[in-house]
Amino acid sequence: MKCGLEIHVQLETDSKLFCDCRTNYQDTPANTNICHVCLNQPGAKPYPTNEKALEGALKIALMLDCKIAKEVTYFMRKHYNYPDLSSGYQRTSIPIGYEGDLNGVRIREVHMEEDPGQYKPDTGTVDFNRSGIPLIEIVTEPDMKSPEEARKFLRELIRVLEYSGNARGEGTMRADVNISLEGGKRVEIKNVNSIKGAYKALKFEMVRQKNLLKRGVEVTQETRAFLEAQMITVSMRLKEEAEDYRYIPDPDLPPMKSDDSQVQGIKEKMPEPPHIKTKRFMEEYHLAEEHAKVLTSELELADTYEDVVKEIEAEFAALWMRDELKRVIYYNKMTFQESEITTSQIVELLQMLQNKEITAKAGKRIIEQLPHSSKSPRFIAEEMGLVGIVNEDEVLNAAKKAIEENPAAVEDYHQGKKASMNFLVGQVMKLTRGKAEPGNTVKILRDLLK
Ligand SMILES: [Zn+2]
């Protein structure tokens, strides 16, 4: 199979693309974030294009390794009739970036669009709060050869969008999925709203087309809708050609030109894209791909890791940050940034572990206390009585005491009951407040019991 994607995601801006209305449409009652421009009332003229939206689109195009259009770019009117589109046309820019790449999938183009309103067929009402919110559309070449590859691509793309800080992520994603099998025709699937949905739609469509071809039935070139609840696709209409949209340049909007200094300025400020960062982490810090991906899953986490390894050995830091730190963040259902854990807290904790001032077990308990805490790990360790791995003498004394106080367990041990050793180790742990190393404790107990 061959699969190409067209992904729309909202750009992060305060105001709409061609007017000053707010973009927080989800928090406001229907039809309150509107004006004559985004309602497209007769004679209403759009304001000049929102500069933050344009800059965000340029940044995302650059992070996807696109070439930036040197010529003048402008908006076209794409005509179609639907209740959510009061003007009868959607403004969509010509490509601002083209010929990009994301992990071997070619990006054909990146352009901007305005979001239409929201039509609710069950009530027959339209909410225009969303009308005019800036969108970015990313179009790939048909380079994905399985539903799994498409899913992998979308996950990586969402990471790029999150890194950019200029897009709203998977929650606002709408994708059109093109799929064709060898010997068949191109089918476009609309209404795909999540990565999981794209994967399921492709799986379903692949099987449907395979069965048609097996029976010698021709696959029709058409547009199909994905029904998320049932995870199936149904025929919508025969595929339109570009001519059906009767594109014309929008005469109300001035043309735009991104000059070299603007592009250079964005390049200097934009973060290293996550897929590039992952590869660099693998080489620079000798990390496995999976581990590098965990550490680059969030820009702030990746940046903190790089600060931490200035003082802590890279592999040791990676182990603690990808396992224990991520576990705590995940458990608390927060991002690393939201946890407010600082580089200095992590460095101090890892140094205490390296210097054997605390056990690994104590380290895990301390890390659980770090989210939203301004306390230093050392302070937490002292507060919880976790400082200091007890010395040999202390373990020896605790072991002697455990043996003395538990004659029944000792008896069981001599009769070959293995579980009693665990019990005695537990007693030593209790006496040393969890600071003894389990392996060493077993050794000491065995020696004493001889
Ligand atoms: Zn408006």
Side-chain angles (χ1 to χ4, degrees), residues 129-297:
N129 280 352
R130 204 179 70 181
S131 174
I133 288 189
L135 296 177
I136 187 165
E137 179 170 356
I138 297 144
V139 184
T140 78
E141 298 289 348
D143 286 347
M144 287 149 279
K145 293 180 182 62
S146 67
E148 288 74 19
E149 276 187 32
R151 180 170 61 186
K152 201 171 154 199
F153 172 82
L154 282 170
R155 282 183 182 154
E156 199 63 52
L157 178 67
I158 294 295
R159 284 213 305 164
V160 173
L161 296 172
E162 283 172 355
Y163 262 52
S164 77
N166 291 87
R168 292 193 165 162
E170 198 190 346
T172 68
M173 186 183 98
R174 270 157 281 155
D176 299 336
V177 181
N178 296 306
I179 168 173
S180 63
L181 299 187
E182 206 173 328
K185 289 234 170 67
R186 201 178 91 129
V187 169
E188 186 176 359
I189 311 166
K190 294 227 175 236
N191 300 346
V192 180
N193 296 328
S194 64
I195 295 174
K196 187 178 159 210
Y199 175 75
K200 294 279 183 188
L202 277 168
K203 275 261 184 196
F204 178 86
E205 198 53 29
M206 200 169 75
V207 173
R208 188 188 71 88
Q209 293 187 25
K210 256 189 200 165
N211 287 339
L212 286 177
L213 291 169
K214 222 187 280 171
R215 300 206 310 266
V217 182
E218 206 179 316
V219 176
T220 326
Q221 180 170 335
E222 62 176 350
T223 299
R224 298 176 68 84
F226 178 58
L227 307 181
E228 184 111 40
Q230 289 122 296
M231 298 279 182
I232 60 166
T233 70
V234 292
S235 185
M236 260 170 94
R237 55 174 181 256
L238 297 183
K239 177 94 188 87
E240 310 93 338
E241 298 298 329
E243 298 87 74
D244 295 334
Y245 289 122
R246 308 183 322 280
Y247 283 98
I248 59 159
D250 191 314
D252 286 338
L253 284 162
M256 307 172 284
K257 195 169 189 316
S258 51
D259 58 79
D260 287 343
S261 68
Q262 186 190 16
V263 172
Q264 198 51 41
I266 294 171
K267 270 188 184 166
E268 277 161 20
K269 277 187 288 174
M270 77 182 193
E272 180 183 31
H275 52 293
I276 309 286
K277 202 184 277 293
T278 304
K279 283 178 199 135
R280 183 169 62 77
F281 272 28
M282 288 164 66
E283 280 164 28
E284 213 171 312
Y285 306 119
H286 309 288
L287 302 176
E289 186 180 2
E290 229 163 282
H291 300 159
K293 268 200 165 162
V294 174
L295 291 168
T296 56
S297 59

Side-chain angles (χ1 to χ4, degrees), residues 16 19-21 33-39 131:
K16 292 184 180 180
C19 64
D20 283 343
C21 292
N33 287 12
I34 50 170
C35 71
H36 57 285
V37 173
C38 54
L39 277 182
S131 174

Side-chain angles (χ1 to χ4, degrees), residues 381-392:
E382 276 162 11
E383 213 176 34
M384 294 173 75
L386 297 169
V387 183
I389 290 180
V390 288
N391 60 37
E392 291 275 313

